[in-house]
Amino acid sequence: MTTTTASQYGRRFGLRSILLDWDKTQLLISFIILGLIALAPLFIESPYYMGIVILTTLYIFTGISWNIVAGFAGQLLIAHIIFLAVGAYTTIVLYDTYGVSPWIGIWLSGVTAAVLGLAVAFITMRYGLKMDYFALFTIALMVAMKTLFLKWDFVGGAVGMGLSLSDPGFAKMIFDSKTPYLYIALSLTVMGVIVQYLIYQSKMGKYFMAIREDEAAAAALGVNTSLYKTLALVIGAAMAGIGGGFYVMYVTFVEPPQVFDLGLNVEIIMAAPIIGGLGSLAGPVLGGILNKPLAEFIRGTLSAGRSGTTLIVYGTFLIVAILFMPRGVTGVFHSLYLRLRQRFVDGRKP
């Protein structure tokens, strides 16, 4: 590498360059948080708290999958949980029935969920379902799929399907310790953060956001809105399916009421991007590290009280977060970032 090339590389990827670019700063924040999560086994010995860290990491990954669909492309996909559910069932059926390794099954779960996403895109675009009608269609589809899986004996019906925990090992993705699960979830999340960033920076990502802001105007400018809405849905569905495959290997059991549930849908998929900042790069990460630990704290503190108290408090928190942080935690960080940049970089008082 010549001196000139090295200098150009340094200017492009140096710390100053990163801090002057909000998108790169968000990426840096995300990796710092994931790096801290990677150190969790050094400080956490309790299996319970380690489980919270693992699920938090998974929530970040699945939150990214929904952020691409709803945050980038602006599609009101309320029942995104259907893709996670299909991914979970695909992995466990392939493992229990056909003996396919979960290391392969997880990726096949992504393919299965992507096919479902393609079908959803085709039907909704064929009949012109947008916004509220699109959201209602996905909710109706979730209810229909829940009923189907409850009656379908091949996937265990109402009883569900579980993993045999005998003879644990790497090949079966069944471990005695929770630490391997953390690093698998962390690897998926790092992949998700990178994929999200590359999409955001690409021409495809710009088309997504053009559709989100004004679909009619984007179409008038020559953007193939049907194609790019389909791409966003398929990518988000595939990632959620992969997350579902890992989810079932971690919890070791799946049943229709568990995975076709709007409550789980809000907690595992929607809350992280909304709290963190929908449509932002760091939103799912910042929202994820706040959402799951807080939900567990509320559940552990108030579960002994009156029935429904936990949901009331958690729901109230979400409402307050939306009202007072409409751009999420990332919006707060962005305002602070701009003030610091004006003061220390641009030489102006905020």
Side-chain angles (χ1 to χ4, degrees), residues 16-342:
R16 179 179 174 83
S17 173
I18 291 173
L19 295 178
L20 289 177
D21 186 324
W22 174 236
D23 294 342
K24 291 180 181 178
T25 301
Q26 291 185 82
L27 190 65
L28 178 62
I29 291 171
S30 299
F31 281 131
I32 289 174
I33 292 172
L34 296 181
L36 293 175
I37 291 176
L39 299 177
L42 299 178
F43 307 98
I44 299 177
E45 297 181 358
S46 168
Y48 172 72
Y49 290 117
M50 183 59 72
I52 293 177
V53 174
I54 293 169
L55 289 178
T56 297
T57 309
L58 176 62
Y59 283 21
I60 293 172
F61 177 71
T62 52
I64 289 172
S65 73
W66 189 69
N67 193 41
I68 291 172
V69 181
F72 289 2
Q75 298 189 66
L76 196 58
L77 182 58
I78 298 297
H80 193 65
I81 195 76
I82 58 176
F83 304 118
L84 182 142
V86 166
Y89 270 104
T90 298
T91 296
I92 199 168
V93 167
L94 288 173
Y95 177 70
D96 276 358
T97 307
Y98 301 104
V100 177
S101 169
W103 295 102
I104 299 174
I106 283 178
W107 301 104
L108 294 178
S109 294
V111 174
T112 306
V115 171
L116 176 60
L118 186 62
V120 170
F122 174 78
I123 294 171
T124 54
M125 292 178 195
R126 171 67 177 80
Y127 294 99
L129 302 180
K130 299 179 180 179
M131 299 304 293
D132 298 347
Y133 294 102
F134 178 80
L136 290 173
F137 172 81
T138 62
I139 295 174
L141 180 61
M142 182 192 70
V143 174
M145 292 181 66
K146 179 179 179 179
T147 304
L148 171 63
F149 277 66
L150 281 169
K151 303 292 184 180
W152 195 5
D153 292 335
F154 180 70
V155 294
V159 177
M161 299 184 70
L163 296 174
S164 172
L165 300 181
S166 61
D167 191 24
F170 180 84
K172 297 181 178 180
M173 202 186 289
I174 299 175
F175 307 102
D176 295 324
S177 167
K178 289 184 179 290
T179 302
Y181 292 110
L182 172 63
Y183 289 117
I184 295 171
L186 198 59
S187 299
L188 292 176
T189 304
V190 168
M191 178 194 73
V193 168
I194 294 173
V195 168
Q196 179 184 235
Y197 179 78
L198 293 177
I199 290 174
Y200 188 85
Q201 293 291 325
S202 68
K203 181 187 292 186
M204 178 172 63
K206 306 307 178 187
Y207 287 159
F208 286 171
M209 286 173 273
I211 293 170
R212 177 192 67 194
E213 297 301 323
D214 192 328
E215 184 176 345
L221 292 173
V223 177
N224 188 337
T225 57
S226 296
L227 172 63
Y228 286 101
K229 286 168 67 176
T230 300
L231 284 174
L233 191 54
V234 169
I235 293 171
M239 292 178 65
I242 292 170
F246 171 77
Y247 173 77
V248 74
M249 294 308 300
Y250 175 66
V251 301
T252 71
F253 178 77
V254 64
E255 61 177 349
Q258 170 194 0
V259 289
F260 292 104
D261 178 69
L262 275 180
L264 181 65
N265 182 75
V266 171
E267 182 177 340
I268 196 172
I269 290 175
M270 297 175 63
I274 290 175
I275 294 172
L278 189 61
S280 63
L281 293 174
V285 180
L286 291 171
I289 62 171
L290 291 175
N291 175 53
K292 179 58 180 175
L294 179 64
E296 289 298 324
F297 173 77
I298 294 173
R299 188 176 293 117
T301 304
L302 302 176
S303 59
R306 291 185 177 182
S307 176
T309 304
T310 300
L311 293 177
I312 292 173
V313 174
Y314 181 67
T316 301
F317 166 74
L318 292 180
I319 293 171
V320 171
I322 293 170
L323 289 176
F324 292 95
M325 294 189 298
R327 295 171 55 207
V329 179
T330 304
V332 177
F333 272 80
H334 189 217
S335 298
L336 179 62
Y337 166 84
L338 291 176
R339 292 171 65 88
L340 292 175
R341 177 170 173 172
Q342 287 177 3

